[in-house]
Amino acid sequence: MKKIYFLIASMLLGCIGTANAQITNENDIIVTDQEGNQEVIQLPEGMTMPFDSLMIQYNNKVYLTPDPDCNFRDINPSYPKEVYIERLQSLPNIIEMPYNDEVQKVIDRYSGRFRQSVSTILGAANFYMPIFEQALEEYGLPLELKYLPVIESALNPKAVSRAGATGLWQFMLSTGKQYGLEVNSLVDERCDPIKASYAAAQYLKDLYRIYNDWNLVIAAYNCGPDNISKAIHRSNGETDYWRIYPYLPKETRGYVPAFIAANYIMNYYCEHNICPMRTRLPAKTDTVMVSKNVHLEQVAAVCHVDLDVLRALNPQYRRNIVNGATKLSVLRLPTQAVNVFIDNEDSIYQYNAERLLRNRVEVPIEAVEVAYVAPERTSRYSSRSSKIVVHDKGRKGRHERAERHRKHRRGDGGGQSVTVKSGQTLSEIARRNHTTVAKLKKLNKIKGTTIQKGKKLKVK
């Protein structure tokens, strides 16, 4: 089996590189095998997200703060190869965790340049890892798979890849819907930590039924079963990840090493002086079922819960609106706020509802009259066109009342007439003379709606 060496430039890793390594961009690494052949591989997108960008992401800026008691945070000890091998073999895992230079280079990146990103991930892990473990346990899967979201999304429930994969487990839209995750204008369950974790567990179990090998399952999770099948075919039927490695897409070649490195760094971060960030998310939460649409601002104001914490606990709601009117929907709250919500549910629904939930149920439209008038034919070759004029009955009623009031004041009995001009309609004449089309037709014995230019009409 070929052994492939990662040669990573010092400017990328913050450590000593080699003259043979070249960096094409931040996510690409050129590796050289024992025969001197070079190729570009790509590390997982979630892993290569720089710290500055990571910190402005939704979940990180909301509830994570640096630990002021952390010492030696900038000192990264180096260890001999044998130490890394022993540590990987000491992990209580079912999935094979072999050591090689590829794995070492990814560990170096986690413990070096991206150590602050790891600190952020560790802070978020306190909340998310129990959720992942519960889902994996129910499907009878190895619990070390809980570190897949570390390389998929850096534990950001709102993460969206360049290809559109979304959430902690980075589901594409079609795959998410295939595994029962709802996506519409108000909700994206790919961002729901619990539902997405159970969907991911089911997907991983389905992949294991196909390959019966966890490294192939992990690789298929990244690039899809079709690409794995192609790689197996091109390698003459090999079913070992490290043997089909050269035939995999660039990112997938770095994916299993990244997964092994994630298992290492999430367990041995202390040995590299990486300090987890502190989280403001409540340790205990519970859910309530909502039967009406409710905005998170309504809940935050009445239940006295920080709005950012509510958003972090309910990242699946795209517009901060829990769509209870569509179906019973889950709202996750800090445990102490659950009874407050139950006791004040009506007040919550009413709080600033007109501003926050503008969604008119019915909009009345005033009745209209439609009048037709045929314009004058200017020549025997001209075409006759029709004109439709909409007359507002509500405005007509106001005009009628105003005219009756004026007649009453001046004692005017009527008797006036007008001459029809080109293009005028009964509605327009009625409006100008403060009367109605019906009265004009009755007064002038008009049966249809057509009037000719030059005709005199009584208007009063």
Side-chain angles (χ1 to χ4, degrees):
M1 179 177 66
K2 282 188 177 179
K3 188 173 183 181
I4 300 178
Y5 294 88
F6 276 69
L7 300 177
I8 305 177
S10 59
M11 62 178 292
L12 181 66
L13 283 174
C15 58
I16 299 176
T18 66
N20 292 330
Q22 303 174 30
I23 303 303
T24 57
N25 63 49
E26 192 174 49
N27 296 347
D28 289 349
I29 299 172
I30 293 181
V31 297
T32 306
D33 63 19
Q34 291 176 324
E35 298 176 357
N37 299 315
Q38 290 186 335
E39 61 177 344
V40 177
I41 69 167
Q42 191 175 66
L43 293 177
E45 186 177 347
M47 174 192 165
T48 56
M49 185 180 297
F51 175 71
D52 289 342
S53 173
L54 190 67
M55 281 303 295
I56 64 172
Q57 292 293 332
Y58 174 79
N59 63 326
N60 303 93
K61 70 178 181 179
V62 165
Y63 61 86
L64 295 173
T65 55
D67 186 349
D69 299 327
C70 184
N71 298 319
F72 311 111
R73 65 174 68 245
D74 297 321
I75 299 176
N76 180 23
S78 60
Y79 299 97
K81 167 184 173 180
E82 290 72 23
V83 172
Y84 293 103
I85 294 175
E86 182 183 355
R87 288 174 179 172
L88 285 171
Q89 294 305 307
S90 297
L91 293 174
N93 294 338
I94 294 175
I95 299 175
E96 183 184 40
M97 297 281 171
Y99 173 90
N100 52 37
D101 279 2
E102 295 93 323
V103 173
Q104 181 65 63
K105 296 300 183 182
V106 185
I107 291 174
D108 290 343
R109 174 169 286 194
Y110 271 136
S111 60
R113 181 181 180 190
F114 289 123
R115 60 191 291 105
Q116 289 180 302
S117 298
V118 173
S119 176
T120 300
I121 292 168
L122 288 165
N126 292 328
F127 180 76
Y128 291 116
M129 287 302 165
I131 297 173
F132 302 159
E133 290 172 345
Q134 183 66 34
L136 295 168
E137 183 70 25
E138 289 201 21
Y139 279 87
L141 304 180
L143 295 186
E144 52 267 34
L145 290 169
K146 65 186 178 183
Y147 297 124
L148 272 179
V150 170
I151 56 177
E152 285 287 344
S153 63
L155 298 193
N156 176 8
K158 289 285 192 178
V160 180
S161 75
R162 291 185 299 270
T166 300
L168 291 161
W169 293 88
Q170 290 289 280
F171 273 103
M172 295 297 290
L173 183 60
S174 57
T175 309
K177 288 193 170 184
Q178 180 183 348
Y179 283 87
L181 299 177
E182 181 181 1
V183 181
N184 57 45
S185 295
L186 291 180
V187 65
D188 188 343
E189 289 184 343
R190 293 177 297 172
C191 298
D192 185 319
I194 295 176
K195 290 186 177 181
S197 296
Y198 278 88
Q202 184 179 348
Y203 183 37
L204 288 166
K205 188 161 188 174
D206 288 346
L207 290 174
Y208 189 74
R209 289 193 185 103
I210 298 172
Y211 299 111
N212 201 36
D213 180 278
W214 283 114
N215 282 330
L216 292 182
V217 167
I218 293 166
Y221 190 90
N222 174 253
C223 67
D226 288 345
N227 283 317
I228 299 300
S229 297
K230 290 176 186 177
I232 292 173
H233 180 74
R234 289 168 181 164
S235 63
N236 297 319
E238 293 285 354
T239 55
D240 184 293
Y241 169 82
W242 300 103
R243 291 188 179 276
I244 68 170
Y245 180 97
Y247 306 99
L248 293 170
K250 288 190 299 183
E251 183 174 325
T252 309
R253 293 174 206 162
Y255 196 76
V256 170
F259 173 72
I260 297 170
N263 272 265
Y264 173 89
I265 204 68
M266 295 296 285
N267 285 278
Y268 296 109
Y269 58 88
C270 284
E271 283 73 9
H272 293 272
N273 292 321
I274 299 176
C275 302
M277 296 186 78
R278 291 182 175 179
T279 177
R280 291 196 300 116
L281 279 180
K284 293 184 179 180
T285 63
D286 204 346
T287 59
V288 293
M289 300 304 294
V290 177
S291 59
K292 297 180 181 179
N293 283 0
V294 61
H295 199 285
L296 294 184
E297 283 190 33
Q298 295 175 293
V299 180
V302 178
C303 295
H304 306 291
V305 179
D306 186 276
L307 179 59
D308 284 336
V309 169
L310 279 182
R311 288 170 175 156
L313 292 176
N314 300 276
Q316 66 271 32
Y317 296 116
R318 308 175 86 167
R319 304 290 186 271
N320 292 334
I321 296 173
V322 184
N323 55 327
T326 305
K327 63 178 184 179
L328 280 176
S329 297
V330 174
L331 174 65
R332 183 164 293 277
L333 298 168
T335 302
Q336 69 273 15
V338 171
N339 288 336
V340 180
F341 181 94
I342 294 171
D343 294 340
N344 298 275
E345 193 164 354
D346 290 338
S347 299
I348 292 170
Y349 293 138
Q350 294 170 10
Y351 179 85
N352 275 345
E354 186 175 349
R355 177 177 68 84
L356 296 170
L357 297 170
R358 180 174 172 79
N359 187 16
R360 291 175 290 182
V361 176
E362 183 177 357
V363 180
I365 300 177
E366 294 184 348
V368 297
E369 285 184 359
V370 179
Y372 168 84
V373 59
E376 180 183 11
R377 187 191 294 269
T378 56
S379 76
R380 64 184 182 137
Y381 299 108
S382 64
S383 61
R384 186 182 298 271
S385 61
S386 61
K387 182 178 182 181
I388 296 177
V389 179
V390 178
H391 183 69
D392 188 331
K393 275 189 159 183
R395 184 180 298 171
K396 177 192 73 175
R398 294 192 292 272
H399 287 166
E400 285 180 344
R401 289 192 295 271
E403 180 60 20
R404 285 197 299 269
H405 179 66
R406 282 193 293 273
K407 283 183 178 181
H408 177 75
R409 291 186 61 185
R410 69 175 185 260
D412 188 357
Q416 297 180 7
S417 63
V418 297
T419 301
V420 178
K421 298 178 181 179
S422 177
Q424 279 191 316
T425 66
L426 287 173
S427 295
E428 181 182 353
I429 294 170
R431 185 171 64 253
R432 286 178 177 272
N433 292 276
H434 309 296
T435 184
T436 66
V437 173
K439 286 184 178 181
L440 282 180
K441 291 171 69 174
K442 182 176 180 181
L443 197 58
N444 294 277
K445 296 182 173 56
I446 298 173
K447 293 184 179 180
T449 57
T450 303
I451 54 176
Q452 297 295 333
K453 174 185 175 184
K455 181 178 178 61
K456 284 192 176 183
L457 294 180
K458 293 178 183 180
V459 294
K460 293 181 181 178

